[in-house]
Amino acid sequence: MRLIIGNKNYSSWSLRPWILLKHARIKFEEVRIPLFTNEGERMLDELCPAKQVPVLYDDRLVLWDSLAICEYIADKYPAKKLWPVDAVDRARARAMSAEMHSSFQALRNNMPMNCRREVKDFEPDLETEIDIDRIVQLFEQALLDSKGPWLFGHYTVADAMFAPVASRFKTYGVKAPHVTQRYFDKVLNDASMKQWYEEASHENEIIERAEIN
Ligand SMILES: N[C@@H](CCC(=O)N[C@@H](CS)C(=O)NCC(=O)O)C(=O)O
């Protein structure tokens, strides 16, 4: 299996399937594309059907979307239980993952993932506040129901889909209520996340549009 990803510092969509594979201890080869460079454009043309990352190659399958990749990994390795076992929890985890995939545009635009940065005195606008509040509401509900430590007890696709959110709250110094903050601390101190951060810290490309003030 080969996963094509973008810059670790910036590419939140790449982090999702990457961290799911790491958590599931599934071996894969990784190819990094430096986005918004000439070399990156050439690699996107060659490797990515939708000219975006992530893309998963597995035998004759070429899969070009982060959530579809996570779904495929969960299907291919049922013993890893990458969705909750309980049907009601599984439905909720799918709804949360789908909401992450399709919503939170203000948060994405105004709080782009940037693992290397700590932005001081960030003041979210109203739309971003609404996204932040909705995310906290989702986390508090899932964590109070499951009792943690992950959103649905054990690690699932939902945790992978929301991993970049923990990074964003940290970068922009957004405060979260206790239960959510404890979850973010777990996400950020997780060995796979630390590896991602470590590798991001060695990258030297700057993507201007992702550098807020
Ligand atoms: N819906 C896609 C979104 C992927 C996406 O937006 N990827 C960004 C990087 S995080 C990208 O490839 N940008 C490069 C470009 O648009 O040229 C997914 O979930 O996989």
Side-chain angles (χ1 to χ4, degrees):
M1 232 178 333
R2 191 154 59 116
L3 184 68
I4 318 297
I5 60 172
N7 311 55
K8 287 195 164 136
N9 191 55
Y10 299 109
S11 183
S12 60
W13 293 113
S14 301
L15 169 57
R16 295 168 166 112
W18 184 94
I19 206 159
L20 187 71
L21 285 164
K22 289 281 176 185
H23 262 272
R25 297 180 196 280
I26 296 163
K27 285 209 169 63
F28 64 102
E29 182 199 336
E30 132 185 0
V31 175
R32 195 189 75 103
I33 298 185
L35 297 172
F36 307 109
T37 63
N38 291 340
E39 168 71 352
E41 290 304 312
R42 192 194 58 71
M43 291 175 81
L44 284 177
D45 281 345
E46 184 188 324
L47 297 169
C48 304
K51 308 279 180 282
Q52 288 190 328
V53 285
V55 175
L56 183 79
Y57 282 74
D58 191 27
D59 294 329
R60 61 196 172 80
L61 175 68
V62 181
L63 196 51
W64 64 91
D65 176 86
S66 59
L67 184 53
I69 296 170
C70 291
E71 290 273 10
Y72 175 71
I73 295 163
D75 271 354
K76 184 167 167 150
Y77 299 95
K80 305 278 186 189
K81 296 187 172 44
L82 295 173
W83 286 114
V85 176
D86 177 79
V88 169
D89 282 347
R90 195 162 59 247
R92 288 189 180 132
R94 280 209 157 97
M96 271 184 82
S97 302
E99 188 169 347
M100 180 69 250
H101 197 244
S102 62
S103 312
F104 309 123
Q105 201 55 52
L107 180 111
R108 279 197 205 132
N109 290 343
N110 302 323
M111 296 170 61
M113 190 170 92
N114 191 336
C115 299
R116 293 192 297 257
R117 281 283 300 280
E118 293 215 349
V119 176
K120 297 272 172 271
D121 304 321
F122 175 73
E123 286 188 14
D125 64 11
L126 180 61
E127 279 75 27
T128 311
E129 287 263 29
I130 291 169
D131 283 355
I132 289 169
D133 288 351
R134 173 64 184 151
I135 285 171
V136 167
Q137 181 189 38
L138 285 170
F139 284 168
E140 296 277 308
Q141 199 168 27
L143 292 165
L144 289 174
D145 284 351
S146 72
K147 314 271 185 290
W150 300 106
L151 291 170
F152 292 89
H154 68 278
Y155 198 87
T156 68
V157 169
D159 297 290
M161 288 302 291
F162 280 91
V165 167
S167 171
R168 289 176 154 124
F169 272 57
K170 177 172 185 285
T171 293
Y172 299 94
V174 177
K175 298 269 176 295
H178 176 67
V179 172
T180 297
Q181 190 55 54
R182 198 174 50 195
Y183 173 73
F184 284 158
D185 292 344
K186 181 155 185 69
V187 173
L188 294 167
N189 286 306
D190 166 71
S192 307
M193 192 65 147
K194 284 187 160 173
Q195 183 187 341
W196 180 274
Y197 263 69
E198 165 65 17
E199 290 166 5
S201 76
H202 297 299
E203 293 178 340
N204 50 24
E205 304 96 3
I206 305 283
I207 299 179
E208 287 298 341
R209 70 179 75 174
E211 298 291 336
I212 302 293
N213 59 44

